[in-house]
Amino acid sequence: MSLISVKNLSKVYHDEEVATPVLHGVTFDINAGEFVAVMGPSGCGKSTLLHILGFLDNPSAGQYNFEGKGVGHYSEEEVAKVRNEKMGFVFQSFNLLPRTTVLDNVKLPLIYSGVEESLWDDMAKNAIEAVGLSHRLDFEPSQLSGGEKQRVAIARALVNSPQIIFADEPTGNLDSKSGLLVMDTIQRLNEEMGHTIILVTHETYTAEHAERIIRLKDGRIESDTRVPVRRKSAGFTK
């Protein structure tokens, strides 16, 4: 059984009397443990697709099954539970609290997790270690480079040990060197920890870290291919 199964998925946004179609009959499956990059130009529907897959938006038509269950059959409580426990999110803008330490930023998702508070520090420290930033525990975002901020955001997405991590243009605000380090971090989460990764990007060097690339054009799948020679993770540098 696929972790994610999408069939004839469509999305139309309505603004007063104007209908704007974004996705048209999208169909694919993603298995647990895959690293999939969704590529395409701005406006092709890739971020909309990620938001639907991450339970942040609803499709207008078609079928989306997560773990074999149609999303329309999840209650609001179940949706919140899945998002908190099984999904992690990394966005282009980092979304870190500015006057809060790295440790406390990473602990934020645990507030809603039901995990005992006495375990929060250790869980957050483990996630921070996983992205190579244990030496920055007590730093605030203003004291970090752009690449380090994004790695903190990845640690925050990782802290609940989610099954799947969604990354929406995670290197979009970074220079190429920092972007490569962030992508190495994400790739290691897939290779060494087994997390399913769904990455949205328009950058070829970013997508090359994935093992599969789905290309969108005008809201439709243009191609769905395996990467013949996958770029190897280079590891962390401080």
Side-chain angles (χ1 to χ4, degrees), residues 19-238:
T20 304
V22 180
L23 295 173
H24 310 270
V26 173
T27 298
F28 59 84
D29 291 342
I30 294 176
N31 295 321
E34 281 197 272
F35 186 165
V36 180
V38 180
M39 288 194 73
S42 297
C44 72
K46 57 187 185 294
S47 290
T48 295
L49 177 60
L50 182 143
H51 290 167
I52 291 173
L53 298 181
F55 288 19
L56 300 173
D57 200 354
N58 296 311
S60 301
Q63 184 69 31
Y64 170 29
N65 289 347
F66 181 77
E67 295 186 322
K69 182 176 179 179
V71 296
H73 297 290
Y74 283 85
S75 67
E76 289 186 13
E77 292 77 13
E78 288 173 324
V79 166
K81 185 177 177 67
V82 167
R83 274 204 306 253
N84 186 258
E85 296 181 0
K86 297 189 176 184
M87 297 177 175
F89 298 89
V90 180
F91 298 104
Q92 180 176 341
S93 57
F94 316 138
N95 295 331
L96 301 178
L97 296 182
R99 288 178 292 278
T100 306
T101 65
V102 165
L103 181 63
D104 286 337
N105 263 290
V106 173
K107 284 178 0 184
L108 282 174
L110 298 173
I111 295 172
Y112 309 99
S113 67
V115 174
E116 282 185 38
E117 189 170 354
S118 61
L119 302 176
W120 291 2
D121 274 7
D122 285 343
M123 291 174 68
K125 287 176 182 177
N126 287 339
I128 293 166
E129 182 179 1
V131 301
L133 285 177
S134 295
H135 59 301
R136 296 286 193 258
L137 281 179
D138 298 320
F139 283 48
E140 295 183 0
S142 62
Q143 299 172 292
L144 304 175
S145 69
E148 287 174 333
K149 290 176 185 177
Q150 193 59 289
R151 286 157 68 192
V152 173
I154 293 169
R156 184 181 56 198
L158 184 64
V159 71
N160 272 335
S161 297
Q163 187 169 6
I164 182 168
I165 294 176
F166 295 99
D168 191 355
E169 299 282 8
T171 62
N173 285 335
L174 305 177
D175 60 64
S176 58
K177 182 178 179 180
S178 297
L180 281 171
L181 186 54
V182 164
M183 288 311 305
D184 280 344
T185 303
I186 292 174
Q187 188 171 343
R188 285 163 63 97
L189 298 182
N190 173 252
E191 292 176 344
E192 299 177 13
M193 302 177 69
H195 294 282
T196 305
I197 308 291
I198 299 180
L199 165 76
V200 161
T201 184
H202 66 276
E203 299 167 326
T204 301
Y205 88 89
T206 302
E208 287 174 346
H209 288 75
E211 60 189 350
R212 176 182 170 195
I213 299 176
I214 297 174
R215 296 181 186 274
L216 291 182
K217 183 177 181 180
D218 299 328
R220 295 179 170 86
I221 292 181
E222 184 178 40
S223 64
D224 184 348
T225 58
R226 296 281 170 181
V227 176
V229 180
R230 189 183 187 192
R231 186 186 182 281
K232 293 185 179 296
S233 171
F236 299 123
T237 58
K238 292 184 180 181

